[in-house]
Amino acid sequence: MKRRQFLFTVIVLTFGIAVINGQSKETNTNIVSAEENDVEESDFAIDKKGVLTEYYGTDENVIIPDGVTEIGDYVFSGKDFSSILLPDSVTIIGEGVFSGCNKLTTITIPDSVTIIGEDAFSGCSSLNEIILPDTITEIGDRTFADCSNLKEIIIPENIIKIGDYAFSGCSSLTEIMIPNKVTTIGWSAFNNCKKLLSVTISDTVEELGTMPFSGCSSLEKIIVDFNNKNYEIRENVLFKKEDFGLQLVAYPPKRKGKKYNIPEEVVSIESNAFKDCKKLEKIVLSDNITTIGYNAFSNCKKLIDITLPSSMTEIIYYEGAFYGGKNLKNLNITMKKGEKISFAVELGEGSKLYRPTITYKNEKRIARQGDILKKETITAKKKGKAKIVFKCGDSKTKTVVTLTIK
């Protein structure tokens, strides 16, 4: 009788049938054996397709069992372990798998892995080393965001796309080299990499998202391959080539010099382009510029003098295009009688802080609460000089534009 009971148990385990109260039920998840995988029996839940769906362990050093082909979304998110070993059977690392693992210090991704999901390592604040395989072709959105202790990253040579905020907040990174197959770099990909000193962009890059190096307050040098058809460097300043002219994308905050003359070919200035350029005292804008992006000159604390060209048609005001420029005394724009200039106001919904008051000719206009984007248009009236004053909500900072009407 005992022999028959033993044989029945073996058959049940082999075919994945659970016997409960005399009834059989097919299961989709197998509990890994401690003898076969050197882990606690209840540590891992793996489905029939080899997807690791749950982890229940508390080990300091985690070893994922052989045979796992995919690590499911957020399986290890927020867990307290310092190292983890992935088997060569793993091909997919899902979204947010290791996000918030604050004690994780190092990890090697095997060559079998072809996909790493968004947010996979975001918030791994102790991670100081990671080796990525050449088998992956994309670094997803926020994959390494806020890995504040990561000092070096070698981007694999087969990467084609780097997602939005992919390395945002990696405040210990000092150098970035974009390999030759990358075509797209997402929005704010390297935002707030405060120790970043240099960036090298390959000739294959076609699209660089908005504010790629915003908050990189230590950035000294940007290099662009001479053969790049979409971007170029002039005097260590990054420009995007457009059919109608150049767009100024980024001015390195640690670039030498107190004065900068913007080239005549420039027609627009990207958002945050001059952010944290604390050495600059004077900027001369070209006569062809029509648009200044939001926060374009924010936190330029020594900036004293800017003259806006008469070609200017729009200023994007978000906490002030010149927010933080406490020493700015001369912000001038010259217009002809009857000409108009539009100040595009971006608002945070429900917040007084983002409801600018615009004063012109003693007439106050307060942007409505709840608006996401509202344009205020100023029409140059009689000849002479007038002032346009911006005050943003509860902020004490004001931006004053002196308008000269000819």
Side-chain angles (χ1 to χ4, degrees), residues 55-339:
Y55 173 69
Y56 307 104
T58 58
D59 292 343
E60 184 74 14
N61 303 298
V62 178
I63 300 174
I64 296 178
D66 288 334
V68 170
T69 58
E70 179 179 344
I71 306 174
D73 295 349
Y74 300 95
V75 166
F76 294 100
S77 179
K79 301 290 185 182
D80 289 330
F81 55 83
S82 59
S83 70
I84 188 164
L85 182 63
L86 278 62
D88 290 337
S89 56
V90 174
T91 60
I92 298 173
I93 297 175
E95 292 184 11
V97 168
F98 302 105
S99 59
C101 293
N102 295 324
K103 292 184 179 179
L104 181 62
T105 58
T106 181
I107 186 170
T108 298
I109 310 297
D111 290 340
S112 57
V113 173
T114 57
I115 296 173
I116 299 177
E118 297 178 359
D119 289 291
F121 297 93
S122 64
C124 292
S125 55
S126 297
L127 187 66
N128 56 51
E129 182 181 8
I130 185 166
I131 298 174
L132 298 174
D134 289 332
T135 47
I136 61 173
T137 58
E138 181 176 334
I139 296 176
D141 295 350
R142 302 171 303 279
T143 298
F144 298 101
D146 298 318
C147 292
S148 55
N149 203 38
L150 189 63
K151 295 178 175 64
E152 181 182 8
I153 185 78
I154 298 175
I155 300 175
E157 61 182 17
N158 289 320
I159 292 293
I160 297 172
K161 179 181 179 181
I162 298 173
D164 297 344
Y165 299 95
F167 296 95
S168 175
C170 292
S171 52
S172 295
L173 278 179
T174 59
E175 182 180 11
I176 290 292
M177 297 191 70
I178 308 299
N180 286 329
K181 292 183 181 179
V182 173
T183 60
T184 304
I185 299 175
W187 180 295
S188 296
F190 303 99
N191 176 55
N192 286 330
C193 294
K194 295 185 181 298
K195 292 185 179 179
L196 189 63
L197 300 175
S198 67
V199 176
T200 301
I201 299 172
S202 64
D203 63 339
T204 55
V205 174
E206 299 174 359
E207 187 60 38
L208 197 56
T210 302
M211 302 181 294
F213 310 114
S214 174
C216 297
S217 53
S218 299
L219 189 60
E220 298 175 349
K221 193 173 186 179
I222 302 174
I223 300 170
V224 176
D225 191 289
F226 181 78
N227 294 316
N228 192 300
K229 297 179 180 179
N230 303 285
Y231 294 90
E232 67 177 59
I233 287 290
R234 292 191 186 185
E235 298 180 340
N236 199 24
V237 180
L238 178 62
F239 298 93
K240 182 179 182 179
K241 302 173 186 177
E242 303 278 11
D243 293 337
F244 45 83
L246 294 177
Q247 180 185 57
L248 196 154
V249 176
Y251 183 103
K254 294 296 183 181
R255 181 184 181 274
K256 293 180 180 180
K258 297 180 180 180
K259 177 183 176 181
Y260 181 61
N261 294 331
I262 296 179
E264 286 298 318
E265 300 95 319
V266 175
V267 295
S268 64
I269 298 175
E270 175 66 273
S271 300
N272 286 23
F274 289 89
K275 184 181 179 182
D276 296 323
C277 294
K278 298 176 183 179
K279 293 182 179 180
L280 273 176
E281 295 179 4
K282 184 175 182 179
I283 299 176
V284 179
L285 278 67
S286 71
D287 289 336
N288 296 313
I289 291 177
T290 59
T291 303
I292 296 177
Y294 58 80
N295 281 350
F297 301 97
S298 65
N299 209 30
C300 294
K301 293 186 176 180
K302 290 187 177 180
L303 194 60
I304 298 172
D305 195 313
I306 299 178
T307 298
L308 306 179
S310 58
S311 56
M312 184 74 61
T313 59
E314 184 173 87
I315 298 176
I316 307 295
Y317 184 93
Y318 178 74
E319 294 187 5
F322 308 93
Y323 180 77
K326 296 180 180 179
N327 295 313
L328 187 60
K329 297 176 182 178
N330 303 307
L331 179 58
N332 307 300
I333 182 168
T334 301
M335 298 174 66
K336 293 180 180 179
K337 185 178 177 180
E339 287 184 337

